[in-house]
Amino acid sequence: MDTDTNKKNAIAFYKMAYEGNPTKAVELYVGDEYIQHNPLVADGPQAFIDYFNRMQKEYPEKSIKFVRAVSEGNLVALHTHQVWPDNDEYITMDFFRFSDAGKIVEHWDSIQQIPKTAMNTNTMYK
């Protein structure tokens, strides 16, 4: 288990899918099984592809910045800052489980919209 490679592959996978090529991302980085814990996406590689193709079609002007990545054992956690149309900003925390073969086989996420005001001066991503 190479945690550094898994971390790099999780970032490459997410970036490629997010920027409009989920089919290639799945071909390169996903195993035969893909368990999805986001309730808006079904299990399996094709459901992932369909979801990200729809997001690219509906929201082509979105961006993602990878704030940090943490890897332990067969898990990788990604903390991202996303900007969607109309400057709609989100923080996400995605967790990926890798197989022994180094392929992504499971995904969890948590998404929070960045509020316009806060009770402190801390950002949600720095």
Side-chain angles (χ1 to χ4, degrees), residues 51-121:
Y51 176 82
F52 273 91
N53 278 334
R54 183 171 56 86
M55 290 297 101
Q56 182 64 22
K57 184 177 180 181
E58 292 178 13
Y59 306 101
E61 300 299 320
K62 61 189 182 311
S63 66
I64 188 168
K65 178 181 175 189
F66 294 89
V67 178
R68 63 185 48 87
V70 178
S71 183
E72 179 180 297
N74 66 348
L75 296 174
V76 173
L78 300 179
H79 189 197
T80 75
H81 177 208
Q82 298 181 15
V83 181
W84 289 68
D86 299 323
N87 205 34
D88 197 13
E89 296 182 89
Y90 292 86
I91 293 300
T92 69
M93 293 179 204
D94 290 84
F95 295 84
F96 299 94
R97 180 174 63 87
F98 281 76
S99 69
D100 290 340
K103 297 294 185 177
I104 296 170
V105 294
E106 194 164 8
H107 170 256
W108 300 260
D109 63 4
S110 180
I111 302 168
Q112 183 176 359
Q113 189 171 25
I114 298 175
K116 301 297 181 203
T117 62
M119 298 296 291
N120 60 62
T121 59

Side-chain angles (χ1 to χ4, degrees), residues 34-43 95 106-109:
Y34 186 75
I35 301 166
Q36 178 62 257
H37 294 276
N38 181 321
L40 301 178
V41 185
D43 281 336
F95 295 84
E106 194 164 8
H107 170 256
W108 300 260
D109 63 4

